[in-house]
PDB file of all heavy atoms in Angstrom:
ATOM      1  N   THR A 289       6.413  17.671  -1.421  1.00 79.00           N
ATOM      2  CA  THR A 289       7.113  17.515  -2.684  1.00 79.00           C
ATOM      3  C   THR A 289       8.285  18.492  -2.705  1.00 79.00           C
ATOM      4  O   THR A 289       8.089  19.682  -2.446  1.00 79.00           O
ATOM      5  CB  THR A 289       6.177  17.827  -3.871  1.00 79.00           C
ATOM      6  OG1 THR A 289       5.058  16.950  -3.813  1.00 79.00           O
ATOM      7  CG2 THR A 289       6.885  17.665  -5.197  1.00 79.00           C
ATOM      8  N   LEU A 290       9.479  17.997  -2.974  1.00 80.00           N
ATOM      9  CA  LEU A 290      10.648  18.861  -3.033  1.00 80.00           C
ATOM     10  C   LEU A 290      10.558  19.756  -4.259  1.00 80.00           C
ATOM     11  O   LEU A 290      10.443  19.286  -5.381  1.00 80.00           O
ATOM     12  CB  LEU A 290      11.937  18.026  -3.098  1.00 80.00           C
ATOM     13  CG  LEU A 290      13.234  18.816  -3.189  1.00 80.00           C
ATOM     14  CD1 LEU A 290      13.460  19.637  -1.926  1.00 80.00           C
ATOM     15  CD2 LEU A 290      14.402  17.884  -3.448  1.00 80.00           C
ATOM     16  N   LYS A 291      10.601  21.056  -4.059  1.00 91.00           N
ATOM     17  CA  LYS A 291      10.522  22.014  -5.150  1.00 91.00           C
ATOM     18  C   LYS A 291      11.804  22.812  -5.336  1.00 91.00           C
ATOM     19  O   LYS A 291      12.065  23.319  -6.414  1.00 91.00           O
ATOM     20  CB  LYS A 291       9.352  22.988  -4.935  1.00 91.00           C
ATOM     21  CG  LYS A 291       8.004  22.324  -5.100  1.00 91.00           C
ATOM     22  CD  LYS A 291       7.841  21.827  -6.521  1.00 91.00           C
ATOM     23  CE  LYS A 291       6.495  21.200  -6.749  1.00 91.00           C
ATOM     24  NZ  LYS A 291       6.339  20.701  -8.109  1.00 91.00           N
ATOM     25  N   MET A 292      12.607  22.962  -4.268  1.00 93.00           N
ATOM     26  CA  MET A 292      13.829  23.737  -4.406  1.00 93.00           C
ATOM     27  C   MET A 292      14.836  23.352  -3.339  1.00 93.00           C
ATOM     28  O   MET A 292      14.465  23.034  -2.219  1.00 93.00           O
ATOM     29  CB  MET A 292      13.543  25.242  -4.305  1.00 93.00           C
ATOM     30  CG  MET A 292      14.771  26.084  -4.573  1.00 93.00           C
ATOM     31  SD  MET A 292      14.420  27.822  -4.886  1.00 93.00           S
ATOM     32  CE  MET A 292      14.159  28.432  -3.254  1.00 93.00           C
ATOM     33  N   VAL A 293      16.097  23.390  -3.707  1.00 94.00           N
ATOM     34  CA  VAL A 293      17.220  23.277  -2.783  1.00 94.00           C
ATOM     35  C   VAL A 293      17.945  24.607  -2.855  1.00 94.00           C
ATOM     36  O   VAL A 293      18.163  25.145  -3.949  1.00 94.00           O
ATOM     37  CB  VAL A 293      18.167  22.129  -3.189  1.00 94.00           C
ATOM     38  CG1 VAL A 293      19.422  22.127  -2.341  1.00 94.00           C
ATOM     39  CG2 VAL A 293      17.456  20.785  -3.106  1.00 94.00           C
ATOM     40  N   THR A 294      18.308  25.160  -1.709  1.00 93.00           N
ATOM     41  CA  THR A 294      19.031  26.431  -1.666  1.00 93.00           C
ATOM     42  C   THR A 294      20.396  26.210  -1.036  1.00 93.00           C
ATOM     43  O   THR A 294      20.498  25.600   0.032  1.00 93.00           O
ATOM     44  CB  THR A 294      18.247  27.488  -0.865  1.00 93.00           C
ATOM     45  OG1 THR A 294      16.975  27.688  -1.501  1.00 93.00           O
ATOM     46  CG2 THR A 294      18.995  28.815  -0.825  1.00 93.00           C
ATOM     47  N   LEU A 295      21.428  26.694  -1.710  1.00 94.00           N
ATOM     48  CA  LEU A 295      22.806  26.558  -1.245  1.00 94.00           C
ATOM     49  C   LEU A 295      23.320  27.887  -0.718  1.00 94.00           C
ATOM     50  O   LEU A 295      23.074  28.934  -1.334  1.00 94.00           O
ATOM     51  CB  LEU A 295      23.713  26.107  -2.390  1.00 94.00           C
ATOM     52  CG  LEU A 295      23.350  24.812  -3.091  1.00 94.00           C
ATOM     53  CD1 LEU A 295      24.308  24.562  -4.254  1.00 94.00           C
ATOM     54  CD2 LEU A 295      23.383  23.652  -2.122  1.00 94.00           C
ATOM     55  N   LEU A 311      23.862  22.806 -15.850  1.00 97.00           N
ATOM     56  CA  LEU A 311      22.619  22.035 -15.923  1.00 97.00           C
ATOM     57  C   LEU A 311      21.714  22.419 -17.094  1.00 97.00           C
ATOM     58  O   LEU A 311      20.774  21.690 -17.408  1.00 97.00           O
ATOM     59  CB  LEU A 311      21.829  22.201 -14.620  1.00 97.00           C
ATOM     60  CG  LEU A 311      22.496  21.697 -13.347  1.00 97.00           C
ATOM     61  CD1 LEU A 311      21.639  22.060 -12.135  1.00 97.00           C
ATOM     62  CD2 LEU A 311      22.733  20.196 -13.414  1.00 97.00           C
ATOM     63  N   TRP A 313      19.736  25.002 -16.962  1.00 98.00           N
ATOM     64  CA  TRP A 313      18.543  25.565 -16.353  1.00 98.00           C
ATOM     65  C   TRP A 313      18.563  27.081 -16.498  1.00 98.00           C
ATOM     66  O   TRP A 313      19.618  27.696 -16.618  1.00 98.00           O
ATOM     67  CB  TRP A 313      18.460  25.200 -14.883  1.00 98.00           C
ATOM     68  CG  TRP A 313      18.206  23.748 -14.601  1.00 98.00           C
ATOM     69  CD1 TRP A 313      18.247  22.705 -15.484  1.00 98.00           C
ATOM     70  CD2 TRP A 313      17.895  23.181 -13.343  1.00 98.00           C
ATOM     71  NE1 TRP A 313      17.979  21.526 -14.843  1.00 98.00           N
ATOM     72  CE2 TRP A 313      17.752  21.790 -13.518  1.00 98.00           C
ATOM     73  CE3 TRP A 313      17.722  23.702 -12.068  1.00 98.00           C
ATOM     74  CZ2 TRP A 313      17.443  20.923 -12.481  1.00 98.00           C
ATOM     75  CZ3 TRP A 313      17.415  22.837 -11.027  1.00 98.00           C
ATOM     76  CH2 TRP A 313      17.265  21.463 -11.238  1.00 98.00           C
ATOM     77  N   THR A 314      17.387  27.692 -16.428  1.00 98.00           N
ATOM     78  CA  THR A 314      17.233  29.131 -16.620  1.00 98.00           C
ATOM     79  C   THR A 314      17.403  29.896 -15.310  1.00 98.00           C
ATOM     80  O   THR A 314      16.811  29.519 -14.286  1.00 98.00           O
ATOM     81  CB  THR A 314      15.831  29.424 -17.194  1.00 98.00           C
ATOM     82  OG1 THR A 314      15.686  28.700 -18.411  1.00 98.00           O
ATOM     83  CG2 THR A 314      15.636  30.906 -17.444  1.00 98.00           C
ATOM     84  N   VAL A 316      16.197  32.589 -13.187  1.00 98.00           N
ATOM     85  CA  VAL A 316      14.943  33.353 -13.130  1.00 98.00           C
ATOM     86  C   VAL A 316      15.032  34.545 -12.184  1.00 98.00           C
ATOM     87  O   VAL A 316      14.161  35.414 -12.190  1.00 98.00           O
ATOM     88  CB  VAL A 316      13.741  32.453 -12.757  1.00 98.00           C
ATOM     89  CG1 VAL A 316      13.488  31.433 -13.857  1.00 98.00           C
ATOM     90  CG2 VAL A 316      13.944  31.773 -11.415  1.00 98.00           C
ATOM     91  N   TYR A 322      20.700  37.006  -3.505  1.00 97.00           N
ATOM     92  CA  TYR A 322      19.960  35.779  -3.798  1.00 97.00           C
ATOM     93  C   TYR A 322      19.838  35.581  -5.308  1.00 97.00           C
ATOM     94  O   TYR A 322      19.671  36.547  -6.062  1.00 97.00           O
ATOM     95  CB  TYR A 322      18.549  35.833  -3.188  1.00 97.00           C
ATOM     96  CG  TYR A 322      17.795  34.552  -3.380  1.00 97.00           C
ATOM     97  CD1 TYR A 322      18.078  33.436  -2.603  1.00 97.00           C
ATOM     98  CD2 TYR A 322      16.838  34.442  -4.376  1.00 97.00           C
ATOM     99  CE1 TYR A 322      17.414  32.243  -2.811  1.00 97.00           C
ATOM    100  CE2 TYR A 322      16.156  33.254  -4.578  1.00 97.00           C
ATOM    101  CZ  TYR A 322      16.465  32.156  -3.793  1.00 97.00           C
ATOM    102  OH  TYR A 322      15.807  30.975  -4.000  1.00 97.00           O
ATOM    103  N   ALA A 323      19.911  34.330  -5.729  1.00 98.00           N
ATOM    104  CA  ALA A 323      19.680  33.978  -7.130  1.00 98.00           C
ATOM    105  C   ALA A 323      18.943  32.645  -7.170  1.00 98.00           C
ATOM    106  O   ALA A 323      19.004  31.855  -6.219  1.00 98.00           O
ATOM    107  CB  ALA A 323      20.998  33.887  -7.889  1.00 98.00           C
ATOM    108  N   MET A 324      18.240  32.399  -8.287  1.00 97.00           N
ATOM    109  CA  MET A 324      17.467  31.164  -8.402  1.00 97.00           C
ATOM    110  C   MET A 324      17.438  30.685  -9.852  1.00 97.00           C
ATOM    111  O   MET A 324      17.314  31.483 -10.775  1.00 97.00           O
ATOM    112  CB  MET A 324      16.039  31.378  -7.922  1.00 97.00           C
ATOM    113  CG  MET A 324      15.224  30.104  -7.851  1.00 97.00           C
ATOM    114  SD  MET A 324      13.607  30.348  -7.074  1.00 97.00           S
ATOM    115  CE  MET A 324      12.628  30.806  -8.482  1.00 97.00           C
ATOM    116  N   LEU A 325      17.557  29.370 -10.010  1.00 97.00           N
ATOM    117  CA  LEU A 325      17.413  28.713 -11.303  1.00 97.00           C
ATOM    118  C   LEU A 325      16.117  27.924 -11.299  1.00 97.00           C
ATOM    119  O   LEU A 325      15.715  27.391 -10.268  1.00 97.00           O
ATOM    120  CB  LEU A 325      18.540  27.712 -11.546  1.00 97.00           C
ATOM    121  CG  LEU A 325      19.971  28.168 -11.423  1.00 97.00           C
ATOM    122  CD1 LEU A 325      20.899  26.993 -11.694  1.00 97.00           C
ATOM    123  CD2 LEU A 325      20.253  29.307 -12.357  1.00 97.00           C
ATOM    124  N   GLN A 326      15.500  27.794 -12.469  1.00 97.00           N
ATOM    125  CA  GLN A 326      14.319  26.945 -12.608  1.00 97.00           C
ATOM    126  C   GLN A 326      14.673  25.788 -13.524  1.00 97.00           C
ATOM    127  O   GLN A 326      15.133  25.986 -14.639  1.00 97.00           O
ATOM    128  CB  GLN A 326      13.145  27.728 -13.183  1.00 97.00           C
ATOM    129  CG  GLN A 326      11.876  26.906 -13.293  1.00 97.00           C
ATOM    130  CD  GLN A 326      11.390  26.405 -11.941  1.00 97.00           C
ATOM    131  OE1 GLN A 326      11.171  27.182 -11.024  1.00 97.00           O
ATOM    132  NE2 GLN A 326      11.229  25.105 -11.817  1.00 97.00           N
ATOM    133  N   GLY A 327      14.453  24.571 -13.026  1.00 96.00           N
ATOM    134  CA  GLY A 327      14.671  23.370 -13.810  1.00 96.00           C
ATOM    135  C   GLY A 327      13.351  22.791 -14.254  1.00 96.00           C
ATOM    136  O   GLY A 327      12.291  23.390 -14.040  1.00 96.00           O
ATOM    137  N   PRO A 328      13.373  21.609 -14.846  1.00 95.00           N
ATOM    138  CA  PRO A 328      12.158  20.986 -15.361  1.00 95.00           C
ATOM    139  C   PRO A 328      11.081  20.739 -14.300  1.00 95.00           C
ATOM    140  O   PRO A 328       9.897  20.868 -14.579  1.00 95.00           O
ATOM    141  CB  PRO A 328      12.635  19.669 -15.947  1.00 95.00           C
ATOM    142  CG  PRO A 328      14.094  19.807 -16.118  1.00 95.00           C
ATOM    143  CD  PRO A 328      14.562  20.809 -15.128  1.00 95.00           C
ATOM    144  N   SER A 329      11.488  20.386 -13.086  1.00 91.00           N
ATOM    145  CA  SER A 329      10.487  20.081 -12.059  1.00 91.00           C
ATOM    146  C   SER A 329      10.814  20.668 -10.695  1.00 91.00           C
ATOM    147  O   SER A 329      10.061  20.475  -9.752  1.00 91.00           O
ATOM    148  CB  SER A 329      10.322  18.564 -11.929  1.00 91.00           C
ATOM    149  OG  SER A 329      11.542  17.987 -11.490  1.00 91.00           O
ATOM    150  N   SER A 330      11.941  21.360 -10.591  1.00 93.00           N
ATOM    151  CA  SER A 330      12.324  21.941  -9.313  1.00 93.00           C
ATOM    152  C   SER A 330      13.232  23.135  -9.558  1.00 93.00           C
ATOM    153  O   SER A 330      13.586  23.430 -10.702  1.00 93.00           O
ATOM    154  CB  SER A 330      13.014  20.899  -8.430  1.00 93.00           C
ATOM    155  OG  SER A 330      14.143  20.372  -9.091  1.00 93.00           O
ATOM    156  N   ALA A 331      13.619  23.796  -8.496  1.00 95.00           N
ATOM    157  CA  ALA A 331      14.453  24.988  -8.588  1.00 95.00           C
ATOM    158  C   ALA A 331      15.695  24.820  -7.722  1.00 95.00           C
ATOM    159  O   ALA A 331      15.731  23.980  -6.816  1.00 95.00           O
ATOM    160  CB  ALA A 331      13.657  26.216  -8.149  1.00 95.00           C
ATOM    161  N   LEU A 332      16.691  25.632  -8.007  1.00 97.00           N
ATOM    162  CA  LEU A 332      17.927  25.645  -7.240  1.00 97.00           C
ATOM    163  C   LEU A 332      18.213  27.094  -6.876  1.00 97.00           C
ATOM    164  O   LEU A 332      18.276  27.964  -7.758  1.00 97.00           O
ATOM    165  CB  LEU A 332      19.065  25.055  -8.081  1.00 97.00           C
ATOM    166  CG  LEU A 332      20.431  24.907  -7.451  1.00 97.00           C
ATOM    167  CD1 LEU A 332      20.375  24.035  -6.191  1.00 97.00           C
ATOM    168  CD2 LEU A 332      21.401  24.303  -8.467  1.00 97.00           C
ATOM    169  N   GLY A 333      18.328  27.371  -5.573  1.00 96.00           N
ATOM    170  CA  GLY A 333      18.547  28.726  -5.105  1.00 96.00           C
ATOM    171  C   GLY A 333      19.929  28.893  -4.503  1.00 96.00           C
ATOM    172  O   GLY A 333      20.572  27.918  -4.103  1.00 96.00           O
ATOM    173  N   PHE A 334      20.379  30.149  -4.419  1.00 96.00           N
ATOM    174  CA  PHE A 334      21.683  30.478  -3.857  1.00 96.00           C
ATOM    175  C   PHE A 334      21.526  31.711  -2.992  1.00 96.00           C
ATOM    176  O   PHE A 334      21.082  32.759  -3.475  1.00 96.00           O
ATOM    177  CB  PHE A 334      22.690  30.763  -4.983  1.00 96.00           C
ATOM    178  CG  PHE A 334      22.767  29.651  -5.981  1.00 96.00           C
ATOM    179  CD1 PHE A 334      22.001  29.686  -7.127  1.00 96.00           C
ATOM    180  CD2 PHE A 334      23.565  28.554  -5.737  1.00 96.00           C
ATOM    181  CE1 PHE A 334      22.040  28.652  -8.040  1.00 96.00           C
ATOM    182  CE2 PHE A 334      23.611  27.502  -6.633  1.00 96.00           C
ATOM    183  CZ  PHE A 334      22.842  27.552  -7.793  1.00 96.00           C
ATOM    184  N   PHE A 356      25.501  16.925  -4.898  1.00 90.00           N
ATOM    185  CA  PHE A 356      24.709  16.476  -6.035  1.00 90.00           C
ATOM    186  C   PHE A 356      25.457  15.364  -6.762  1.00 90.00           C
ATOM    187  O   PHE A 356      26.671  15.425  -6.907  1.00 90.00           O
ATOM    188  CB  PHE A 356      24.469  17.616  -7.030  1.00 90.00           C
ATOM    189  CG  PHE A 356      23.625  18.729  -6.497  1.00 90.00           C
ATOM    190  CD1 PHE A 356      24.122  20.014  -6.426  1.00 90.00           C
ATOM    191  CD2 PHE A 356      22.331  18.493  -6.062  1.00 90.00           C
ATOM    192  CE1 PHE A 356      23.344  21.049  -5.945  1.00 90.00           C
ATOM    193  CE2 PHE A 356      21.545  19.523  -5.577  1.00 90.00           C
ATOM    194  CZ  PHE A 356      22.056  20.807  -5.515  1.00 90.00           C
TER     195      PHE A 356
END
Side-chain angles (χ1 to χ4, degrees):
T289 301
L290 179 65
K291 290 297 182 181
M292 185 165 79
V293 173
T294 300
L295 303 177
L311 298 175
W313 291 11
T314 303
V316 294
Y322 184 76
M324 187 172 88
L325 306 179
Q326 182 61 56
S329 63
S330 57
L332 183 58
F334 306 94
F356 294 120

